[in-house]
Amino acid sequence: MNNGKIKKLLKQRAESVQLNKEHPKQILEKVNSIKHFSADLQEEITGADIFRVQGQKSKKWGYKSIIPIFAGALSLVLVFFTIINPLIKQKQNSITVAKAEEVFSKEMFALGNLFSFQEESGVNLLSFTQNEFERVAEECAYYLLTGDAFLQNENIITTVYNNEDENFSEYQFKAVVSFTDLSGYKVEYVAYYDQKTAGAETTILGVIEIKGRFYQLSGKRIQKRKEIESELRVYFDNRKDYISVSNETEVNENEFTYEWVLGGKVVRGVSLETSTEKGLKQTEIEITENNKTQSYEFTYLNQTVECEYESGNVEEEFTVYLHDEYYLFVYSSYTVRVDK
Amino acid sequence: MRIEEYVNRFKQKDYALFNEFYQLTYKKVYFTALAILKDKYLAEDIMQECFVAFLENIRSIKPEQNALAYLVTIARNKGINYYNKNKRLVLGDDEMKNIPVAMGDSGGVEDILNLLPEQTDREIITYHVVMGYKFKEIAKMINKPLGTVLWRYNRALKILREKVNHYE
């Protein structure tokens, strides 16, 4: 059962709650029978001041001064709301469509997919216990969508807003990163963050929403003449362990590196590289863990992806069929479905 | 009718529309108490006390104050006070962990919430999922940092996913 279904179940059960219908009548009977102010009420209502209705103040004015003051104020308010405020709002709420690299879009997308798959499938990336086919399929599924997106860089749409979301009003910006893959499956991640730039270094700090869950994130980008180094981290719930994705354009602008940092140590590394050669789009991933390395090479065709990898000294291959909600990994004698 | 208008009537001891006001607000009060006390009968009793307290103290509510939030705060404080005074009557968090919960169609919302052993987690899930409060509001209500509210929310959902799957 996923988060959405849990929430739906809770709401349904809450809607169906039925209490004793006599409560309103009993309440009024008690109120009418109480003659003295209860001494412990003050203690119980402490703290209610937190929820003040904003923008309302109560003041006492002499009756005769009210009308001209009110008229003057009303005219000012009308001028403000009809002319000035829309201009201010237009400037404050301006929507900008930023370049993907300027707001760590690719990195957010890459980590969003990873956390999303891990969360929904319940698979622990560091301990596969299924058979070889299932293990490979679940491992690769994380990166297929990301590789597809990076190969279609122009289809990663990023929109940046001046943040007005009450939930995270302490953050200055809101970025929405979205991508629709070839099968029509749409992915979207939303991040709320503050951004600081000092010389050649830009840092961001905030939270990212991935399928209804929120994770803290931090990012850093350093511009060195023609080279750019960037790193984005998304933290697990304990806020100490994290997965990072980094990119160095000097090395290869199409190569991204993931690192799993648990207990302060890098326990897993993955490099993901995309390329387009003679019209053929490819993604190569290399996974390093426990001093062992495993590589996979994906070639994207129309509605399928061909994959080659080595298992032991044997070359293996399989085909991935792209469906709206899932990938179908087809080996010679086995088929595995991995939901997106 | 806006909440403020009901409040103004109640201040004049005009309770003709109290039932209407009750229907609009009782669930928020009830669920607030339920998240703390874990027992639907106790929660109903506390809910009734909250409305009595609210009406008794109605004249001290200022026009700029959010009356509904005021009511919810009373519910929370009453629930916590009751829990602290009557711990032996209310199952403790440790005891709740060991009680199997029957799910299925007859399970109420309290059955699901009681799968969460910690009160803070029950409160956060209740306030956000059931009552629709934003995380920032919840952080103020329970006096915890926003980051704490977020990660506890994530953790609570994870616990519910595991336990609900187990019992279905």
Side-chain angles (χ1 to χ4, degrees):
Chain A
M1 186 175 277
N2 60 30
N3 288 344
K5 288 180 181 172
I6 289 284
K7 288 191 255 187
K8 191 176 175 183
L9 182 65
L10 269 168
K11 286 178 186 171
Q12 282 173 345
R13 298 289 168 91
E15 287 289 320
S16 63
V17 158
Q18 287 185 352
L19 305 183
N20 183 349
K21 292 180 182 176
E22 295 299 310
H23 278 305
K25 182 183 166 188
Q26 290 170 356
I27 289 165
L28 289 180
E29 281 172 359
K30 286 182 180 177
V31 168
N32 290 328
S33 68
I34 292 174
K35 292 180 182 177
H36 301 287
F37 185 81
S38 170
D40 62 355
L41 271 177
Q42 281 301 334
E43 183 187 339
E44 285 156 359
I45 62 178
T46 301
D49 285 349
I50 292 171
F51 298 104
R52 289 187 182 280
V53 175
Q54 292 185 358
Q56 293 184 13
K57 293 183 181 179
S58 61
K59 287 188 176 180
K60 292 183 179 177
W61 298 92
Y63 176 74
K64 289 184 180 177
S65 62
I66 284 179
I67 294 175
I69 290 174
F70 179 75
L74 181 61
S75 58
L76 281 174
V77 164
L78 285 172
V79 169
F80 179 77
F81 276 103
T82 55
I83 299 174
I84 299 174
N85 193 40
L87 292 174
I88 293 175
K89 273 198 166 182
Q90 192 175 1
K91 188 178 175 184
Q92 286 178 343
N93 299 348
S94 59
I95 297 172
T96 59
V97 179
K99 289 181 186 174
E101 58 269 21
E102 289 173 350
V103 290
F104 298 85
S105 298
K106 278 188 167 182
E107 291 87 344
M108 282 187 198
F109 190 81
L111 283 176
N113 288 345
L114 201 60
F115 273 79
S116 178
F117 269 101
Q118 180 166 349
E119 182 56 37
E120 289 299 310
S121 67
V123 173
N124 184 332
L125 288 170
L126 300 181
S127 61
F128 294 114
T129 56
Q130 305 95 326
N131 65 37
E132 168 81 3
F133 301 117
E134 289 172 359
R135 183 187 67 77
V136 169
E138 284 173 349
E139 196 162 51
C140 293
Y142 303 125
Y143 306 106
L144 272 178
L145 184 61
T146 305
D148 186 12
F150 288 178
L151 284 165
Q152 302 183 60
N153 186 30
E154 65 279 6
N155 288 338
I156 299 178
I157 308 293
T158 304
T159 314
V160 179
Y161 305 84
N162 290 316
N163 181 34
E164 288 186 346
D165 192 321
E166 285 182 15
N167 251 336
F168 299 101
S169 58
E170 63 269 38
Y171 296 114
Q172 193 180 1
F173 298 108
K174 173 180 173 180
V176 180
V177 181
S178 66
F179 171 75
T180 304
D181 75 5
L182 293 172
S183 69
Y185 179 75
K186 184 178 178 183
V187 175
E188 186 175 280
Y189 303 111
V190 181
Y192 303 86
Y193 60 94
D194 289 327
Q195 182 168 319
K196 289 181 187 175
T197 301
E201 186 174 299
T202 300
T203 55
I204 66 169
L205 197 63
V207 296
I208 182 169
E209 182 182 358
I210 300 170
K211 289 203 173 177
R213 294 188 58 170
F214 297 91
Y215 301 88
Q216 293 192 317
L217 71 84
S218 68
K220 186 189 284 188
R221 172 173 291 114
I222 301 172
Q223 177 101 30
K224 296 176 183 177
R225 293 187 183 179
K226 293 182 182 178
E227 308 152 10
I228 298 177
E229 288 178 14
S230 67
E231 186 198 28
L232 187 77
R233 294 180 186 180
V234 175
Y235 295 82
F236 289 102
D237 287 343
N238 65 12
R239 288 168 295 172
K240 290 179 185 175
D241 300 333
Y242 61 86
I243 303 178
S244 71
V245 64
S246 55
N247 175 238
E248 291 182 32
T249 58
E250 184 203 29
V251 177
N252 185 338
E253 63 182 7
N254 298 315
E255 181 175 351
F256 289 78
T257 304
Y258 297 81
E259 281 186 344
W260 277 250
V261 179
L262 305 180
K265 292 181 183 175
V266 177
V267 298
R268 192 174 209 248
V270 175
S271 78
L272 183 151
E273 184 178 347
T274 58
S275 64
T276 303
E277 198 172 315
K278 296 180 183 176
L280 209 58
K281 295 184 178 179
Q282 290 186 316
T283 296
E284 189 174 324
I285 62 170
E286 189 175 277
I287 302 169
T288 303
E289 189 176 359
N290 296 327
N291 295 320
K292 292 180 185 174
T293 299
Q294 175 72 57
S295 299
Y296 301 90
E297 189 177 282
F298 303 97
T299 303
Y300 293 79
L301 304 176
N302 275 337
Q303 288 294 326
T304 61
V305 181
E306 300 294 327
C307 178
E308 292 176 353
Y309 72 101
E310 274 189 29
S311 178
N313 290 323
V314 181
E315 280 196 7
E316 300 278 0
E317 57 183 26
F318 57 85
T319 302
V320 185
Y321 292 86
L322 311 177
H323 292 263
D324 289 352
E325 301 288 330
Y326 61 90
Y327 294 115
L328 200 64
F329 289 74
V330 178
Y331 300 83
S332 58
S333 59
Y334 206 84
T335 301
V336 181
R337 168 178 163 155
V338 180
D339 292 335
K340 288 181 182 175
Chain B
M1 187 183 286
R2 287 165 41 200
I3 295 287
E4 291 79 20
E5 291 171 47
Y6 289 108
V7 171
N8 287 336
R9 285 177 179 243
F10 300 154
K11 284 182 177 180
Q12 310 304 320
K13 303 267 186 197
D14 175 4
Y15 301 129
L17 296 179
F18 175 73
N19 188 43
E20 207 171 283
F21 173 79
Y22 172 84
Q23 297 303 327
L24 288 173
T25 57
Y26 80 90
K27 279 195 174 176
K28 287 201 169 180
V29 182
Y30 169 74
F31 286 122
T32 301
L34 183 66
I36 296 167
L37 297 169
K38 297 169 283 192
D39 180 282
K40 57 184 176 182
Y41 302 109
L42 280 176
E44 280 197 63
D45 288 342
I46 292 296
M47 180 199 70
Q48 214 182 77
E49 286 184 29
C50 288
F51 279 104
V52 172
F54 174 77
L55 291 177
E56 266 293 289
N57 202 46
I58 196 84
R59 292 196 177 192
S60 67
I61 298 175
K62 296 168 189 171
E64 67 271 20
Q65 281 181 294
N66 183 324
L68 181 55
Y70 191 93
L71 196 52
V72 168
T73 303
I74 296 176
R76 185 163 191 269
N77 290 339
K78 273 193 175 286
I80 291 171
N81 288 344
Y82 185 93
Y83 179 83
N84 288 336
K85 288 176 188 172
N86 300 281
K87 279 183 183 173
R88 62 184 176 83
L89 295 177
V90 178
L91 287 172
D93 291 340
D94 283 340
E95 288 167 302
M96 288 304 301
K97 284 178 194 172
N98 298 322
I99 294 179
V101 176
M103 290 299 295
D105 292 339
S106 61
V109 66
E110 68 275 10
D111 293 323
I112 301 174
L113 290 174
N114 287 346
L115 291 171
L116 297 168
E118 295 192 37
Q119 176 190 315
T120 301
D121 294 347
R122 290 195 303 276
E123 283 196 86
I124 292 171
I125 291 290
T126 301
Y127 296 147
H128 184 68
V129 179
V130 177
M131 291 160 65
Y133 280 109
K134 300 184 191 301
F135 291 117
K136 193 172 181 181
E137 290 171 324
I138 296 169
K140 280 185 182 172
M141 287 164 78
I142 64 174
N143 195 29
K144 292 211 185 289
L146 178 62
T148 300
V149 171
L150 291 174
W151 78 259
R152 291 199 75 147
Y153 173 75
N154 288 341
R155 189 182 74 169
L157 279 178
K158 189 178 177 184
I159 293 172
L160 286 178
R161 277 205 317 277
E162 288 166 0
K163 292 192 176 182
V164 170
N165 277 337
H166 179 66
Y167 283 109
E168 273 201 323

